[in-house]
Amino acid sequence: MRITKFVHSCLLVESPQTTVLIDAGNFTWSSRLLAVDKLPQLDAILYTHEHADHYDGHGLRKISRRFPHAAIITNEDLAEKIYELKLPNAIHAGSFENLKIFKAEHEPLPLGLPNVTNIGVHIADKLTHSGDSLALEHTREFLALPVAAPFASFRQALDTAVRLKPKAVIPLHDWEWHKEARQSRYALAKKLLGKHGIEFISLNNAEPVEI
């Protein structure tokens, strides 16, 4: 399985079973690192929830033009909004081939801000992406986990990893950290999780890694 991060929570996951692009939101598109025209294959486009840093309608139109036969996978609430775009892609609110969707409550937002429906996904029975949720009961051997956000702390993310005990953690939701801060937090996470037998995979944007 090959993983490429395109800023924040966007992952391109390529495996023998499926190729899926997850949560290409506004930070991903503003970075200009995701070149859709250069992607050779895409079986599915997945959005965990509708927040702009995870879902961008204009970006979805670009992906749809390149891959009109890729299935769009999301939750029921966002699916209704995507239907309004009248794209040629089939839309599924639930599990799809090699993508097992599960309920994952979005972490509470500050000061009682209204929340949205969030889903998580197990991919090819190897990688778990939880969207904006730390309230997981199970993970596959690789866990893509939000490590910085208005709704959670770095400490909470590491506590979640230790509780779930994946083989390795892939950091998500870290757009707010500048380069030096990201390197520092990654190094600390690698050291702390290593003591619990958990590898921390430090991804660089647009650079694939094999897991």
Side-chain angles (χ1 to χ4, degrees):
M1 179 179 282
R2 176 181 294 174
I3 307 293
T4 309
K5 183 175 180 178
F6 289 102
V7 183
H8 201 54
S9 288
C10 179
L11 294 182
L12 175 66
V13 182
E14 301 169 276
S15 74
Q17 295 83 7
T18 191
T19 298
V20 55
L21 183 68
I22 308 172
D23 282 0
N26 56 1
F27 297 149
T28 296
W29 294 108
S30 63
S31 75
R32 302 184 183 276
L33 292 175
L34 177 59
V36 175
D37 291 342
K38 294 183 179 180
L39 297 180
Q41 178 183 347
L42 200 61
D43 300 311
I45 310 154
L46 191 145
Y47 295 104
T48 60
H49 62 289
E50 63 187 70
H51 285 154
D53 56 332
H54 294 256
Y55 166 73
D56 182 278
H58 295 293
L60 176 55
R61 287 186 184 277
K62 294 179 183 178
I63 303 170
S64 175
R65 284 195 293 269
R66 176 75 171 88
F67 299 102
H69 300 296
I72 298 172
I73 316 298
T74 189
N75 62 70
E76 293 182 356
D77 292 343
L78 183 51
E80 291 184 5
K81 297 182 178 181
I82 294 176
Y83 277 121
E84 296 175 0
L85 299 180
K86 300 186 182 303
L87 302 175
N89 309 72
I91 302 172
H92 299 268
S95 297
F96 189 67
E97 300 173 3
N98 297 296
L99 302 172
K100 184 177 181 181
I101 301 301
F102 60 91
K103 292 182 179 179
E105 295 291 332
H106 194 293
E107 294 298 315
L109 297 174
L111 299 177
L113 289 172
N115 221 327
V116 297
T117 302
N118 180 85
I119 57 172
V121 59
H122 302 306
I123 304 168
D125 207 33
K126 186 171 184 176
L127 170 68
T128 297
H129 188 303
S130 64
D132 279 0
S133 179
L134 299 176
L136 308 179
E137 296 181 1
H138 306 285
T139 181
R140 299 305 186 251
E141 59 179 329
F142 293 92
L143 174 61
L145 189 70
V147 295
F151 55 76
S153 69
F154 183 62
R155 176 188 61 79
Q156 289 172 302
L158 298 187
D159 285 347
T160 298
V162 171
R163 173 174 60 84
L164 294 173
K165 299 191 184 309
K167 176 182 178 180
V169 165
I170 295 170
L172 299 178
H173 219 284
D174 54 7
W175 176 86
E176 296 170 337
W177 290 344
H178 60 71
K179 182 178 180 180
E180 289 78 11
R182 184 175 292 109
Q183 291 173 340
S184 173
R185 292 293 186 273
Y186 281 10
L188 180 58
K190 186 180 292 289
K191 177 181 178 180
L192 295 177
L193 293 181
K195 295 179 180 179
H196 295 269
I198 301 171
E199 180 185 0
F200 186 86
I201 301 175
S202 303
L203 296 183
N204 293 318
N205 287 316
E207 294 182 10
V209 297
E210 298 286 344
I211 63 172

